Amino acid sequence: ILVGKRLSKIYTRTGDDGTTGLGDGNRVAKCSARVEAMGQVDELNSLIGLMLTEQLPDDIRECLVSIQHCLFDLGGELSLPGFTLVEYERTVELEKMLDTLNESLAPLEEFILPGGTRAASLCHVARSVCRRAERALWLIKDDHSVGNPSRQYINRLSDLLFVMARSLNQSAGESDILWKRQPSSDSANQT
């Protein structure tokens, strides 16, 4: 595995011109699709870190720690165009956890709203950021697009975060918050 230089000095002033350095030494615009995707993945990883401050079942805690490491690998992959760090097996691990958590949940017959416990609510926020990160991965159109294993991983991760939020609510004795279509103001005035 390639490991870039470790920073001993946090500020370098090299980014003052609107560019940032990638792990391969190339400089790119801070507003490039690749840097945007790196930021989205970093934000998601930070949210997972915030989730880990909550009281969580051991299996979910272990899964989230593993996810953080994989997201860091994904950030490294984005920083090293053309290099693959996230392997398909990581997606298989997510799918196994998805299946395990989903087994104990009631089938969904309605849409649910984000909410419930603080841990589940944070999970829903992470899910929505994960979806944004996924869109950002698809926007990279340079010579080294993101590999399918990484795209699959981030797609499956958003699914897992949704199921995980439901599982966290269930383990805390909270019900899913079901969406109810609100009557329009026109139909309310006609009655």
Side-chain angles (χ1 to χ4, degrees):
I1 282 184
L2 288 172
V3 178
K5 292 185 276 185
R6 301 272 197 264
L7 292 177
S8 57
K9 187 175 181 180
I10 299 303
Y11 68 91
T12 61
R13 297 187 177 132
T14 57
D16 292 350
D17 65 353
T19 65
T20 193
L22 297 179
D24 65 1
N26 285 318
R27 296 203 65 78
V28 295
K30 289 186 179 191
C31 59
S32 73
R34 181 169 297 278
V35 175
E36 178 63 26
M38 289 166 58
Q40 299 296 337
V41 169
D42 185 39
E43 181 180 351
L44 176 57
N45 206 341
S46 297
L47 276 169
I48 300 292
L50 182 59
M51 286 175 60
L52 284 165
T53 66
E54 297 292 313
Q55 292 293 329
L56 302 168
D58 290 341
D59 59 340
I60 289 179
R61 178 172 299 285
E62 289 171 21
C63 182
L64 290 174
V65 168
S66 176
I67 288 167
Q68 275 202 303
H69 286 277
C70 191
L71 289 174
F72 200 86
D73 288 344
L74 178 53
E77 185 174 310
L78 291 167
S79 179
L80 295 163
F83 196 71
T84 301
L85 289 171
V86 178
E87 298 176 355
Y88 177 70
E89 291 75 23
R90 300 304 298 268
T91 300
V92 172
E93 292 170 12
L94 294 183
E95 289 171 347
K96 287 178 183 174
M97 185 64 166
L98 250 165
D99 292 340
T100 298
L101 292 176
N102 211 29
E103 282 176 4
S104 66
L105 297 173
L108 269 180
E109 296 178 7
E110 301 289 336
F111 291 109
I112 67 167
L113 299 177
T117 65
R118 178 177 160 84
S121 298
L122 288 170
C123 210
H124 279 294
V125 173
R127 173 192 51 79
S128 61
V129 171
C130 188
R131 288 286 187 209
R132 186 169 12 109
E134 181 183 12
R135 292 188 300 272
L137 292 180
W138 282 100
L139 289 174
I140 298 172
K141 303 289 186 201
D142 58 19
D143 293 339
H144 303 285
S145 62
V146 178
N148 282 334
S150 293
R151 289 175 176 163
Q152 290 169 342
Y153 181 86
I154 207 83
N155 179 272
R156 217 66 84 250
L157 178 56
S158 62
D159 296 335
L160 175 58
L161 290 167
F162 175 79
V163 170
M164 197 176 277
R166 293 188 69 213
S167 179
L168 287 168
N169 275 335
Q170 179 181 275
S171 67
E174 292 277 338
S175 299
D176 287 326
I177 303 169
L178 302 179
W179 170 72
K180 294 179 182 114
R181 189 172 189 279
Q182 299 298 303
S184 68
S185 59
D186 291 340
S187 64
N189 291 333
Q190 294 175 356
T191 58

